[in-house]
Amino acid sequence: MADIAAVLGRLTPEELDELRALGPQGHLTREQTDALDRAAGGSGAGRGYYVPTGSVSATGGPHVVLRSDVSGWLFGTSGEQGHHEGVPRSR
């Protein structure tokens, strides 16, 4: 799996803002998982960056959230210092 910083650094500022707006445990949309897949290298490549919650949507699809270390990195709760370099902050 690629480096978290590298993958999140390949997302657009708008995509990062959408992820931040959801919060650390927000359910990702199909568009957001597609963006993570693209940033990780292609179809399905981002699956390690998001995980199922165990619940399902009204249409029967699994709810997924950012993996805890990815969420910690994005929201600054991972305890690492300087890990946000190269990833733009919200405006």
Side-chain angles (χ1 to χ4, degrees):
M1 190 172 342
D3 179 48
I4 294 170
V7 170
L8 294 182
R10 290 184 198 109
L11 295 173
T12 67
E14 294 79 16
E15 291 165 341
L16 286 168
D17 286 344
E18 288 174 9
L19 290 175
R20 288 185 182 111
L22 286 177
Q25 289 297 308
H27 294 156
L28 302 177
T29 66
R30 175 61 185 222
E31 291 78 16
Q32 291 162 333
T33 60
D34 287 348
L36 286 164
D37 287 348
R38 184 198 76 245
S43 180
R47 286 191 187 137
Y49 295 92
Y50 50 88
V51 294
T53 64
S55 63
V56 295
S57 69
T59 60
H63 286 136
V64 295
V65 296
L66 292 173
R67 197 178 68 216
S68 61
D69 59 334
V70 176
S71 178
W73 195 98
L74 184 63
F75 293 97
T77 58
S78 67
E80 295 179 34
Q81 298 300 315
H83 59 277
H84 293 96
E85 292 177 25
V87 177
R89 284 300 205 187
S90 299
R91 292 179 205 119

XYZ file of all heavy atoms in Angstrom:
663
model
N 0.841 -1.170 0.000
C 0.000 0.000 0.000
C 0.892 1.240 0.000
O 1.897 1.275 0.685
C -0.897 -0.018 1.235
C -1.949 1.035 1.183
S -3.215 0.982 2.484
C -3.131 -0.623 3.136
N 0.511 2.229 -0.767
C 1.294 3.458 -0.890
C 1.232 4.273 0.404
O 0.400 4.035 1.273
C 0.770 4.287 -2.053
N 2.098 5.216 0.519
C 2.168 6.116 1.653
C 0.894 6.965 1.749
O 0.415 7.484 0.747
C 3.404 6.993 1.467
C 3.598 7.990 2.567
O 3.526 7.599 3.742
O 3.826 9.171 2.240
N 0.362 7.113 2.952
C -0.859 7.898 3.158
C -0.693 9.310 2.621
O -1.561 9.823 1.930
C -1.245 7.927 4.656
C -1.636 6.530 5.119
C -2.381 8.915 4.907
C -1.805 6.408 6.628
N 0.427 9.952 2.933
C 0.650 11.331 2.480
C 0.639 11.420 0.962
O 0.075 12.353 0.397
C 1.969 11.855 3.030
N 1.242 10.441 0.300
C 1.290 10.466 -1.164
C -0.100 10.315 -1.755
O -0.467 11.022 -2.698
C 2.212 9.369 -1.677
N -0.884 9.402 -1.211
C -2.231 9.188 -1.744
C -3.107 10.411 -1.498
O -3.752 10.921 -2.422
C -2.873 7.924 -1.136
C -4.351 7.822 -1.502
C -2.134 6.690 -1.631
N -3.131 10.916 -0.278
C -3.963 12.085 -0.003
C -3.466 13.307 -0.767
O -4.253 14.166 -1.148
C -4.018 12.362 1.496
C -4.727 11.295 2.334
C -4.756 11.701 3.805
C -6.122 11.006 1.826
N -2.173 13.356 -1.033
C -1.611 14.459 -1.809
C -2.049 14.460 -3.261
O -1.945 15.476 -3.948
N -2.558 13.327 -3.741
C -3.044 13.239 -5.127
C -4.524 13.604 -5.259
O -5.046 13.668 -6.363
C -2.815 11.834 -5.673
C -1.356 11.516 -5.895
C -1.172 10.145 -6.539
N 0.176 9.688 -6.348
C 0.544 8.694 -5.533
N -0.373 8.009 -4.871
N 1.806 8.366 -5.405
N -5.189 13.820 -4.148
C -6.584 14.255 -4.192
C -6.636 15.744 -4.514
O -5.717 16.490 -4.176
C -7.275 13.990 -2.854
C -7.421 12.532 -2.446
C -7.964 12.441 -1.016
C -8.304 11.765 -3.411
N -7.722 16.182 -5.126
C -7.882 17.614 -5.402
C -8.203 18.333 -4.097
O -8.680 17.711 -3.139
C -9.019 17.864 -6.411
O -10.268 17.508 -5.790
C -8.816 17.083 -7.702
N -7.982 19.636 -4.047
C -8.357 20.384 -2.844
C -9.844 20.211 -2.500
O -10.204 20.107 -1.336
C -8.036 21.841 -3.208
C -6.924 21.726 -4.211
C -7.265 20.498 -5.015
N -10.687 20.143 -3.521
C -12.121 19.957 -3.297
C -12.408 18.593 -2.671
O -13.238 18.470 -1.766
C -12.902 20.112 -4.608
C -12.873 21.503 -5.192
C -11.569 21.845 -5.948
O -10.791 20.927 -6.285
O -11.341 23.047 -6.168
N -11.708 17.560 -3.150
C -11.895 16.220 -2.591
C -11.448 16.165 -1.128
O -12.115 15.563 -0.285
C -11.149 15.179 -3.422
C -11.769 14.971 -4.800
C -10.880 14.233 -5.783
O -9.646 14.160 -5.579
O -11.431 13.727 -6.782
N -10.333 16.813 -0.826
C -9.867 16.874 0.562
C -10.868 17.623 1.448
O -11.158 17.192 2.568
C -8.498 17.549 0.636
C -7.330 16.714 0.140
C -6.081 17.577 -0.014
C -7.068 15.549 1.081
N -11.406 18.720 0.931
C -12.401 19.480 1.691
C -13.634 18.630 1.980
O -14.197 18.680 3.073
C -12.814 20.750 0.941
C -11.747 21.827 0.964
O -10.815 21.741 1.785
O -11.858 22.763 0.147
N -14.055 17.832 0.994
C -15.218 16.957 1.191
C -14.941 15.924 2.281
O -15.806 15.658 3.125
C -15.576 16.249 -0.112
C -16.192 17.142 -1.161
C -16.398 16.430 -2.487
O -16.224 15.194 -2.549
O -16.737 17.114 -3.466
N -13.752 15.337 2.267
C -13.401 14.358 3.297
C -13.359 15.004 4.672
O -13.857 14.446 5.656
C -12.049 13.704 2.988
C -12.018 12.762 1.788
C -10.591 12.285 1.539
C -12.954 11.582 1.986
N -12.782 16.192 4.749
C -12.708 16.892 6.030
C -14.100 17.270 6.532
O -14.359 17.233 7.734
C -11.828 18.123 5.911
C -10.360 17.781 5.779
C -9.492 19.036 5.789
N -8.107 18.681 5.620
C -7.391 18.955 4.526
N -7.930 19.606 3.510
N -6.127 18.595 4.455
N -14.990 17.627 5.611
C -16.353 18.010 6.002
C -17.113 16.838 6.613
O -17.993 17.039 7.457
C -17.109 18.572 4.796
N -16.770 15.620 6.219
C -17.433 14.433 6.768
C -17.051 14.158 8.215
O -17.811 13.554 8.960
C -17.049 13.192 5.962
C -17.659 13.013 4.599
C -17.081 11.774 3.946
C -19.167 12.892 4.698
N -15.863 14.556 8.591
C -15.361 14.231 9.912
C -14.670 12.880 9.902
O -14.729 12.135 8.921
N -14.028 12.532 11.007
C -13.199 11.323 11.062
C -13.946 10.007 10.830
O -13.366 9.042 10.375
C -12.608 11.348 12.475
C -12.716 12.755 12.915
C -13.900 13.332 12.207
N -15.226 9.940 11.135
C -15.971 8.691 10.982
C -17.157 8.819 10.023
O -18.067 7.987 10.050
C -16.464 8.199 12.343
C -15.346 7.686 13.228
C -14.667 6.468 12.619
O -15.305 5.506 12.245
N -13.351 6.518 12.519
N -17.121 9.846 9.150
C -18.215 10.030 8.196
C -18.231 8.953 7.123
O -17.180 8.483 6.688
N -19.426 8.559 6.722
C -19.572 7.568 5.653
C -19.170 8.175 4.317
O -19.655 9.238 3.934
C -21.017 7.079 5.577
C -21.442 6.324 6.786
N -22.760 6.212 7.165
C -20.733 5.633 7.712
C -22.842 5.488 8.264
N -21.625 5.133 8.620
N -18.278 7.496 3.612
C -17.792 7.978 2.322
C -18.812 7.691 1.227
O -19.452 6.640 1.220
C -16.473 7.287 1.970
C -15.330 7.442 2.967
C -14.124 6.640 2.505
C -14.976 8.896 3.167
N -18.915 8.610 0.291
C -19.770 8.406 -0.876
C -19.006 7.592 -1.919
O -17.776 7.437 -1.836
C -20.173 9.744 -1.511
O -18.990 10.373 -2.042
C -20.852 10.671 -0.512
N -19.721 7.126 -2.913
C -19.080 6.391 -4.008
C -18.040 7.279 -4.702
O -16.959 6.815 -5.065
C -20.156 5.914 -4.997
C -19.629 5.248 -6.235
C -18.838 4.005 -5.864
N -18.229 3.434 -7.035
C -18.195 2.155 -7.292
N -18.729 1.293 -6.462
N -17.618 1.717 -8.370
N -18.360 8.558 -4.872
C -17.426 9.488 -5.522
C -16.139 9.633 -4.704
O -15.051 9.728 -5.260
C -18.082 10.860 -5.731
C -19.185 10.868 -6.755
C -20.522 10.304 -6.262
O -20.713 10.159 -5.017
O -21.361 9.980 -7.104
N -16.270 9.626 -3.382
C -15.087 9.752 -2.530
C -14.234 8.483 -2.558
O -13.009 8.573 -2.593
C -15.507 10.116 -1.107
C -16.061 11.521 -1.041
C -16.876 11.793 0.190
O -17.466 10.898 0.779
N -16.917 13.057 0.592
N -14.862 7.324 -2.570
C -14.069 6.095 -2.674
C -13.426 5.995 -4.049
O -12.288 5.539 -4.170
C -14.896 4.831 -2.353
O -15.990 4.721 -3.256
C -15.375 4.837 -0.916
N -14.129 6.455 -5.083
C -13.533 6.478 -6.433
C -12.315 7.392 -6.469
O -11.299 7.077 -7.101
C -14.558 6.926 -7.481
C -15.607 5.872 -7.783
O -15.444 4.697 -7.377
O -16.615 6.235 -8.432
N -12.411 8.554 -5.795
C -11.283 9.495 -5.755
C -10.095 8.874 -5.026
O -8.947 8.998 -5.471
C -11.704 10.800 -5.086
N -10.348 8.182 -3.915
C -9.262 7.517 -3.192
C -8.647 6.406 -4.036
O -7.427 6.242 -4.061
C -9.766 6.967 -1.859
C -10.026 8.026 -0.789
C -10.881 7.458 0.339
C -8.717 8.574 -0.255
N -9.486 5.657 -4.747
C -8.973 4.622 -5.652
C -8.059 5.236 -6.709
O -6.960 4.750 -6.958
C -10.122 3.884 -6.347
C -10.877 2.931 -5.444
O -10.394 2.639 -4.332
O -11.960 2.478 -5.860
N -8.519 6.321 -7.328
C -7.732 6.994 -8.361
C -6.399 7.469 -7.792
O -5.344 7.248 -8.386
C -8.511 8.190 -8.927
C -7.808 8.899 -10.092
C -8.344 10.300 -10.354
N -7.845 11.217 -9.341
C -8.589 11.852 -8.449
N -9.886 11.720 -8.417
N -8.035 12.662 -7.561
N -6.450 8.091 -6.620
C -5.239 8.628 -5.998
C -4.265 7.525 -5.590
O -3.057 7.731 -5.569
C -5.614 9.478 -4.782
N -4.793 6.334 -5.309
C -3.945 5.210 -4.898
C -3.422 4.410 -6.079
O -2.608 3.515 -5.896
C -4.720 4.295 -3.957
N -3.894 4.712 -7.281
C -3.336 4.042 -8.448
C -4.311 3.392 -9.397
O -3.905 2.818 -10.388
N -5.606 3.454 -9.119
C -6.561 2.886 -10.062
C -7.717 2.192 -9.376
O -7.819 2.164 -8.158
N -8.569 1.612 -10.174
C -9.790 0.986 -9.696
C -9.509 -0.022 -8.572
O -8.735 -0.956 -8.733
C -10.489 0.284 -10.847
O -11.671 -0.319 -10.404
N -10.097 0.230 -7.418
C -9.945 -0.659 -6.281
C -8.676 -0.476 -5.475
O -8.537 -1.050 -4.401
N -7.742 0.327 -5.953
C -6.446 0.470 -5.279
C -6.536 1.191 -3.938
O -5.654 1.050 -3.100
C -5.452 1.196 -6.191
N -7.594 1.948 -3.713
C -7.736 2.684 -2.462
C -8.433 1.919 -1.362
O -8.615 2.436 -0.269
N -8.829 0.687 -1.639
C -9.614 -0.081 -0.658
C -8.947 -0.193 0.698
O -9.621 -0.283 1.704
C -9.943 -1.466 -1.208
C -11.001 -1.403 -2.251
C -11.509 -2.779 -2.606
N -12.416 -2.646 -3.743
C -12.424 -3.447 -4.775
N -11.592 -4.461 -4.829
N -13.273 -3.245 -5.756
N -7.655 -0.190 0.763
C -6.987 -0.257 2.064
C -7.055 1.038 2.848
O -6.764 1.053 4.038
N -7.457 2.113 2.198
C -7.530 3.413 2.859
C -8.897 3.668 3.460
O -9.076 4.581 4.246
C -7.150 4.535 1.892
C -5.715 4.421 1.489
C -5.343 3.720 0.347
C -4.711 4.954 2.284
C -4.008 3.571 -0.001
C -3.379 4.818 1.946
C -3.038 4.117 0.804
O -1.718 3.961 0.479
N -9.895 2.866 3.087
C -11.221 2.948 3.691
C -11.676 1.534 4.040
O -11.244 0.561 3.438
C -12.226 3.655 2.779
C -12.294 3.157 1.352
C -13.135 2.095 1.007
C -11.541 3.744 0.348
C -13.208 1.638 -0.307
C -11.611 3.291 -0.965
C -12.448 2.248 -1.286
O -12.523 1.799 -2.579
N -12.507 1.442 5.066
C -12.930 0.140 5.586
C -14.437 0.147 5.821
O -15.032 1.192 6.102
C -12.196 -0.205 6.891
C -10.698 -0.396 6.654
C -12.422 0.848 7.956
N -15.075 -1.026 5.742
C -16.517 -1.101 6.028
C -16.782 -0.920 7.518
O -15.969 -1.311 8.358
C -16.906 -2.509 5.559
C -15.646 -3.286 5.537
C -14.519 -2.306 5.326
N -17.929 -0.333 7.822
C -18.304 -0.115 9.226
C -19.100 -1.275 9.794
O -19.279 -1.359 11.005
C -19.169 1.152 9.366
O -20.392 0.953 8.658
C -18.449 2.386 8.866
N -19.635 -2.109 8.935
C -20.494 -3.194 9.379
C -21.962 -2.894 9.171
O -22.807 -3.766 9.318
N -22.282 -1.653 8.814
C -23.662 -1.298 8.514
C -23.820 -1.138 7.005
O -22.836 -1.064 6.275
C -24.067 -0.010 9.237
O -23.273 1.077 8.790
N -25.062 -1.108 6.548
C -25.320 -0.967 5.116
C -26.246 0.211 4.855
O -27.019 0.621 5.722
C -25.931 -2.253 4.500
C -24.944 -3.404 4.577
C -27.230 -2.625 5.171
N -26.171 0.722 3.641
C -27.015 1.838 3.228
C -28.411 1.326 2.869
O -28.650 0.113 2.823
C -26.392 2.534 2.021
O -26.467 1.686 0.890
N -29.302 2.247 2.578
C -30.671 1.893 2.178
C -30.693 1.049 0.912
O -31.627 0.279 0.686
C -31.495 3.158 1.998
N -29.665 1.175 0.090
C -29.606 0.400 -1.150
C -28.878 -0.928 -0.971
O -28.718 -1.686 -1.919
C -28.912 1.204 -2.267
O -27.587 1.518 -1.845
C -29.675 2.479 -2.585
N -28.412 -1.203 0.244
C -27.765 -2.478 0.532
C -26.254 -2.481 0.430
O -25.611 -3.474 0.739
N -25.674 -1.368 -0.005
C -24.218 -1.285 -0.085
C -23.609 -1.028 1.280
O -24.241 -0.418 2.149
N -22.393 -1.501 1.507
C -21.764 -1.289 2.819
C -21.371 0.168 3.026
O -20.930 0.839 2.099
C -20.521 -2.176 2.764
C -20.195 -2.274 1.307
C -21.520 -2.231 0.588
N -21.573 0.660 4.253
C -21.025 1.962 4.609
C -19.528 1.786 4.814
O -19.093 0.804 5.424
C -21.648 2.487 5.901
C -23.047 2.960 5.750
N -24.036 2.659 6.657
C -23.636 3.715 4.802
C -25.160 3.214 6.282
N -24.948 3.859 5.148
N -18.745 2.729 4.302
C -17.302 2.699 4.512
C -16.843 4.032 5.072
O -17.445 5.078 4.822
C -16.507 2.356 3.209
C -16.817 0.946 2.737
C -16.794 3.353 2.105
N -15.771 3.976 5.855
C -15.157 5.161 6.461
C -13.659 5.093 6.214
O -13.118 4.045 5.856
C -15.440 5.244 7.979
C -16.919 5.419 8.271
C -14.880 4.040 8.712
N -12.976 6.208 6.425
C -11.521 6.200 6.328
C -10.954 5.272 7.398
O -11.459 5.236 8.535
C -10.955 7.607 6.531
C -11.262 8.622 5.446
C -10.778 10.008 5.880
C -10.644 8.222 4.118
N -9.920 4.524 7.043
C -9.228 3.694 8.029
C -8.697 4.614 9.130
O -8.365 5.769 8.882
C -8.087 2.945 7.338
C -7.567 1.764 8.135
C -6.483 1.035 7.390
N -5.308 1.890 7.297
C -4.498 1.931 6.243
N -4.710 1.184 5.199
N -3.461 2.733 6.244
N -8.601 4.135 10.358
C -8.279 5.002 11.500
C -6.969 5.768 11.328
O -6.892 6.946 11.671
C -8.269 4.206 12.802
O -7.290 3.201 12.763
N -5.923 5.135 10.784
C -4.659 5.866 10.631
C -4.732 6.904 9.518
O -4.109 7.956 9.600
C -3.470 4.925 10.434
C -3.598 4.019 9.232
O -4.735 3.729 8.805
O -2.559 3.576 8.713
N -5.544 6.637 8.495
C -5.734 7.624 7.419
C -6.519 8.808 7.973
O -6.163 9.970 7.749
C -6.463 6.988 6.210
C -6.745 8.024 5.137
C -5.662 5.822 5.652
N -7.562 8.519 8.726
C -8.358 9.567 9.359
C -7.490 10.385 10.318
O -7.546 11.616 10.321
C -9.531 8.928 10.110
O -10.293 9.893 10.759
N -6.667 9.705 11.105
C -5.776 10.404 12.028
C -4.809 11.308 11.310
O -4.520 12.416 11.757
N -4.312 10.845 10.171
C -3.391 11.653 9.381
C -4.098 12.892 8.849
O -3.608 14.003 8.970
C -2.834 10.821 8.225
C -1.635 11.422 7.578
C -0.337 11.111 7.815
C -1.621 12.444 6.584
N 0.485 11.885 7.032
C -0.282 12.709 6.264
C -2.614 13.166 5.936
C 0.084 13.665 5.340
C -2.247 14.127 5.006
C -0.902 14.363 4.717
N -5.286 12.697 8.275
C -6.025 13.804 7.664
C -6.483 14.829 8.698
O -6.444 16.027 8.454
C -7.234 13.261 6.891
C -8.057 14.276 6.112
C -7.216 14.923 5.007
C -9.282 13.613 5.521
N -6.887 14.346 9.871
C -7.433 15.237 10.894
C -6.430 15.615 11.968
O -6.776 16.265 12.945
C -8.691 14.615 11.512
C -9.825 14.539 10.527
C -10.071 13.371 9.829
C -10.607 15.650 10.258
C -11.089 13.294 8.894
C -11.629 15.589 9.324
C -11.872 14.417 8.648
N -5.182 15.179 11.802
C -4.132 15.586 12.718
C -4.211 14.940 14.081
O -3.725 15.492 15.060
N -4.796 13.748 14.165
C -4.916 13.071 15.445
C -4.026 11.840 15.536
O -4.146 11.050 16.450
C -6.376 12.647 15.706
O -6.805 11.788 14.647
C -7.283 13.848 15.790
N -3.109 11.683 14.583
C -2.269 10.484 14.560
C -1.047 10.590 15.469
O -0.367 9.611 15.684
C -1.804 10.197 13.137
O -0.918 11.217 12.704
N -0.776 11.784 15.975
C 0.391 11.955 16.829
C 1.667 12.232 16.054
O 2.688 12.537 16.645
N 1.634 12.119 14.742
C 2.817 12.415 13.934
C 2.932 13.916 13.739
O 1.937 14.604 13.588
C 2.710 11.745 12.561
C 2.723 10.248 12.623
C 2.596 9.640 11.241
O 3.112 10.226 10.282
O 1.971 8.593 11.134
N 4.144 14.405 13.729
C 4.379 15.816 13.489
C 4.838 16.017 12.056
O 5.603 15.236 11.532
C 5.444 16.350 14.457
C 5.028 16.248 15.902
C 3.775 17.033 16.204
O 3.626 18.175 15.777
N 2.849 16.438 16.923
N 4.335 17.060 11.416
C 4.771 17.394 10.072
C 4.237 16.477 8.992
O 4.723 16.478 7.887
N 3.212 15.699 9.289
C 2.722 14.745 8.319
C 1.758 15.343 7.308
O 1.301 14.648 6.426
C 2.083 13.546 9.024
C 0.943 13.911 9.910
N 1.146 14.361 11.182
C -0.376 13.902 9.695
C -0.029 14.605 11.731
N -0.966 14.336 10.861
N 1.451 16.616 7.429
C 0.532 17.248 6.492
C 1.234 17.993 5.360
O 0.588 18.619 4.539
C -0.393 18.220 7.233
C -1.319 17.527 8.162
N -1.037 17.394 9.493
C -2.490 16.889 7.952
C -2.017 16.723 10.073
N -2.906 16.401 9.166
N 2.544 17.932 5.316
C 3.268 18.648 4.281
C 2.861 18.141 2.910
O 2.752 16.950 2.675
C 4.778 18.455 4.465
C 5.278 19.134 5.717
C 6.762 18.875 5.930
O 7.450 18.617 4.943
O 7.180 18.935 7.077
N 2.577 19.085 2.012
C 2.212 18.731 0.652
C 0.719 18.515 0.458
O 0.265 18.376 -0.659
N -0.050 18.479 1.535
C -1.502 18.340 1.410
C -2.114 19.650 1.833
O -1.985 20.079 2.976
C -2.043 17.191 2.292
C -3.561 17.118 2.184
C -1.419 15.879 1.869
N -2.794 20.338 0.893
C -3.340 21.655 1.195
C -4.419 21.594 2.281
O -5.165 20.624 2.365
C -3.937 22.129 -0.132
C -3.972 20.949 -1.009
C -3.064 19.914 -0.447
N -4.458 22.613 3.097
C -5.471 22.749 4.141
C -6.728 23.357 3.550
O -6.702 24.006 2.514
C -4.964 23.661 5.255
C -3.966 22.971 6.131
C -4.634 21.817 6.727
N -4.047 21.404 7.969
C -4.423 20.331 8.574
N -5.370 19.588 8.072
N -3.888 19.978 9.683
N -7.832 23.196 4.253
C -9.093 23.816 3.836
C -8.925 25.327 3.835
O -8.145 25.890 4.584
C -10.205 23.438 4.812
O -10.375 22.055 4.810
N -9.713 25.943 2.987
C -9.645 27.406 2.903
C -10.542 28.049 3.922
O -11.492 27.616 4.359
C -10.083 27.848 1.506
C -9.092 27.414 0.502
C -9.535 27.830 -0.891
N -8.907 26.902 -1.781
C -9.540 26.083 -2.588
N -10.829 26.078 -2.662
N -8.893 25.281 -3.360
